[in-house]
Amino acid sequence: MADLELRGVNKQYSGGFVAIPSLDLTIDNGELVVLVGPSGCGKSTLLRMIAGLESITDGEIFIDGNVVNTVEPAERDIAMVFQNYALYPHMSVRKNLEYGLKNRKTDKDEIARRVAEAARILEIEPLLERKPRQLSGGQRQRVAMGRAIVRHPKVFLFDEPLSNLDAKLRGQMRVEIRRLQRRLGTTSVYVTHDQLEAMTMADKLVVMNKGHIEQVGKPMELYSRPASTFVANFIGSPPMNLVLRAELERALGRSLDGIVDARAGIIGIRPDVLSLNRVGDNDLALKGMAELVEPVGGEVHFYVSVEGIEQTLTAVSPMRTDLQDGLAVRLHIAPAQMHLFDAQTGTRID
């Protein structure tokens, strides 16, 4: 286990393209930190720089207090789990698990002990003599994690390890990876574009946008107090409704002066606080039409067009059998549940 720190890390490619302008990040011993953001935001590049698979243009990377900028990947004492499993197809599961340890000239008895331990933890003992082609996607991912576990590394790096699995299996593997990380207590960095994975797995969440860190914190902190419209729109499913103040005032038929901060040009409203029922004495009400109603398990998502507001508003409600497409609805919102943002910068206003 180890602390991991990035100071002023920069990545610039030939031709002048800057993937990561300058980035600082501290990951504490034993934390599972998730890097999340849209494709092309720099999260996988950052992970590869930590691993030593990608050179850094400027800055310093510390693992356990030591600068590793010029240290070869094999000497950084990290283990990486890839989305394509990266298993040797001609080797059995056992040999795949043993391979890295044999290269390090680990004692034969120690190799056997570590392989047996990893197989027991991941419940792949019956699979040890099979080849990767004889395994399901979930079983292959367990073997890939086992190959990382036997190394006893200081840091685990996960590069979108669940993206090739179906939705049900991804849910199961999220739980397994989180349980495993807690059991081993190994410092871990996990990259994903899936905000649900990010929210459910992270001790600390890092939202990235165009090579920059938009916000760092506990998942529910980012959900409850997004630092920008980018974070507000990215974290949460369905995403937050972001409405121009002028449009909301037009739809309400009243000014918001004295109700919300005068600096607020964008109003954010989470779908789960847009209510069909009266919220309180000071609530605001919007009249609209449910263009689409989607039953989703024990709740319903409905998409409402409101005169005066350009985009469709999304609301979430407990399952209602009386909701249907084309129904006139009245949405209520308490001013205290609004999120306020600057229209020019997109930053939060408190």
Side-chain angles (χ1 to χ4, degrees):
M1 296 186 290
D3 295 330
L4 177 62
E5 185 177 2
L6 285 69
R7 296 182 190 170
V9 169
N10 168 284
K11 178 63 182 180
Q12 182 172 334
Y13 292 98
S14 57
F17 173 68
V18 180
I20 297 176
S22 182
L23 186 144
D24 298 303
L25 180 64
T26 299
I27 298 171
D28 294 329
N29 188 17
E31 272 191 321
L32 194 163
V33 170
V34 177
L35 307 179
V36 67
S39 297
C41 71
K43 55 189 185 296
S44 290
T45 300
L46 186 61
L47 195 77
R48 290 175 61 81
M49 289 195 291
I50 294 171
L53 301 175
E54 190 88 50
S55 62
I56 70 173
T57 307
D58 198 7
E60 294 175 311
I61 297 176
F62 295 80
I63 296 178
D64 210 14
N66 300 310
V67 179
V68 296
N69 291 23
T70 59
V71 177
E72 291 297 318
E75 305 303 319
R76 294 194 181 195
D77 203 5
I78 56 98
M80 196 161 182
V81 180
F82 298 92
Q83 67 184 77
N84 63 355
Y85 318 128
L87 302 176
Y88 296 107
H90 62 287
M91 293 184 182
S92 67
V93 168
R94 185 187 302 277
K95 291 186 181 299
N96 265 283
L97 296 178
E98 293 174 341
Y99 184 77
L101 296 176
K102 285 183 176 179
N103 277 356
R104 289 170 168 247
K105 300 192 173 10
T106 306
D107 178 76
K108 185 177 180 180
D109 290 340
E110 179 64 11
I111 291 176
R113 187 189 69 77
R114 292 194 192 185
V115 168
E117 178 187 37
R120 177 180 54 79
I121 290 172
L122 294 166
E123 299 179 355
I124 56 174
E125 292 162 301
L127 311 178
L128 287 173
E129 305 312 320
R130 295 188 192 179
K131 299 287 180 62
R133 66 176 179 274
Q134 298 172 301
L135 306 178
S136 68
Q139 289 169 335
R140 292 181 193 180
Q141 195 55 270
R142 284 193 184 92
V143 175
M145 288 192 292
R147 196 168 58 180
I149 290 171
V150 297
R151 295 266 308 278
H152 291 183
K154 289 180 178 177
V155 179
F156 284 138
L157 303 178
F158 295 91
D159 189 9
E160 304 214 33
L162 307 184
S163 60
N164 289 335
L165 305 180
D166 62 52
K168 181 179 179 181
L169 191 52
R170 275 163 56 186
Q172 294 171 349
M173 291 301 295
R174 280 202 307 267
V175 174
E176 290 191 22
I177 291 175
R178 191 67 181 107
R179 184 185 296 133
L180 176 65
Q181 193 273 338
R182 283 179 175 167
R183 178 174 180 175
L184 299 176
T186 306
T187 306
S188 302
V189 185
Y190 188 106
V191 162
T192 182
H193 65 276
D194 185 328
Q195 61 93 19
L196 178 59
E197 265 180 44
M199 288 288 290
T200 55
M201 295 183 68
D203 292 320
K204 185 159 67 182
L205 194 55
V206 179
V207 179
M208 295 187 64
N209 179 25
K210 297 179 181 178
H212 295 278
I213 291 177
E214 286 275 336
Q215 191 173 0
V216 179
K218 294 184 181 299
M220 287 310 298
E221 289 175 358
L222 271 62
Y223 181 85
S224 301
R225 294 180 59 79
S228 66
T229 52
F230 180 87
V231 177
N233 190 53
F234 199 83
I235 298 298
S237 181
M240 182 182 288
N241 298 292
L242 296 169
V243 185
L244 288 174
R245 177 186 185 129
E247 290 186 4
L248 185 58
E249 289 178 329
R250 186 162 60 242
L252 290 167
R254 60 175 295 181
S255 170
L256 291 175
D257 291 348
I259 298 175
V260 300
D261 193 300
R263 297 170 296 167
I266 296 176
I267 310 296
I269 308 169
R270 288 283 180 201
D272 58 347
V273 301
L274 266 178
S275 176
L276 290 170
N277 302 311
R278 190 172 179 83
V279 178
D281 293 338
N282 297 317
D283 70 343
L284 303 171
L286 295 166
K287 294 179 181 179
M289 183 188 73
E291 292 186 345
L292 179 65
V293 177
E294 291 183 334
V296 184
E299 63 185 24
V300 60
H301 297 179
F302 54 105
Y303 303 88
V304 180
S305 61
V306 176
E307 188 175 349
I309 297 178
E310 281 197 18
Q311 79 263 34
T312 300
L313 299 183
T314 306
V316 174
S317 175
M319 181 56 73
R320 290 272 301 268
T321 56
D322 60 325
L323 284 175
Q324 54 186 301
D325 296 355
L327 184 72
V329 296
R330 191 177 179 90
L331 298 175
H332 298 264
I333 174 68
Q337 294 176 315
M338 292 177 172
H339 299 260
L340 311 180
F341 302 95
D342 183 276
Q344 300 300 317
T345 64
T347 56
R348 183 181 187 85
I349 296 172
D350 288 314

